[in-house]
Amino acid sequence: MPDNQTPPPVTVTLRSGPTGGGSIDDLELFYSRRSLDRFRKRLGRQGLLDLLAADIEEGNAFLRDSALASDGTFEAGTTVLATEGLTSADFLSWMEKAFAGGEDALLAAHPEHYVMAPGADGAFNVVENIGPHVCSFFMGGWGTDAMAWAADAEELLPESEFPHKMSSNLFLADGTIVGRALTQFGDTADGFTASLTVYVPTTCPPDVLEHHLRHYAVEFRNWIVAAATRG
């Protein structure tokens, strides 16, 4: 092979052995989730917070500095998911119960969910990655009506097509608004469409927004599957 030619990629295919579980990637995902769940439960919420304390301090400082440098301006990105076999009403009913119940279903939706729990004054505390940064922030809750800022958002979809809208500011414990979320759901002939928009400070590097769009895809896919399988 000439020195300047790229070698073909190495591939590994499962021919026989396991009788179920899907592909090798599926098997790895199963064991990764089981291992992660074990560590979460062994450490507990406070153990995770203690373990991540330095990361959270650094991540929150990044968000605060980005918000201040952006002077209240945000950049939006949207992930769109198409679901078949489940209505938006059934999904949102499940979500409401999940957010009102324990953390298990909320944490299980993404490997980088560390804390998802009710906070003070009706806010909901989330500890998760924002891009590469582990951050602890609050949101107003998924059950609220779209707030005034969402009414002017370019991402706001027609009410007739997406009647289920929820939004929230994302803010630090000191009140600094570091982002926003706007989720919109509309039924289709065989399911529903979810339009999931996140707003991050304009001075954030591009990978922060990109990774949160990926984050949305993972967590909402898993929540939708959980809603369909657990009811």
Side-chain angles (χ1 to χ4, degrees), residues 141-161:
W142 296 110
T144 59
D145 292 333
M147 295 183 296
W149 63 264
D152 298 324
E154 294 181 3
E155 295 75 25
L156 200 65
L157 299 171
E159 185 79 16
S160 59
E161 298 176 38

Side-chain angles (χ1 to χ4, degrees), residues 110-205:
H110 200 290
E112 292 182 337
H113 283 177
Y114 305 110
V115 172
M116 301 194 78
D121 299 324
F124 202 86
N125 184 213
V126 177
V127 179
E128 67 178 24
N129 274 64
I130 300 294
H133 308 280
V134 180
C135 305
S136 176
F137 59 89
F138 296 84
M139 60 186 189
W142 296 110
T144 59
D145 292 333
M147 295 183 296
W149 63 264
D152 298 324
E154 294 181 3
E155 295 75 25
L156 200 65
L157 299 171
E159 185 79 16
S160 59
E161 298 176 38
F162 289 82
H164 307 291
K165 302 178 187 296
M166 294 174 289
S167 63
S168 177
N169 285 328
L170 310 180
F171 54 94
L172 301 180
D174 64 6
T176 304
I177 297 176
V178 294
R180 288 169 172 158
L182 171 64
T183 60
Q184 304 173 91
F185 304 88
D187 286 320
T188 60
D190 52 8
F192 71 91
T193 300
S195 178
L196 313 168
T197 303
V198 66
Y199 300 77
V200 300
T202 52
T203 58
C204 285

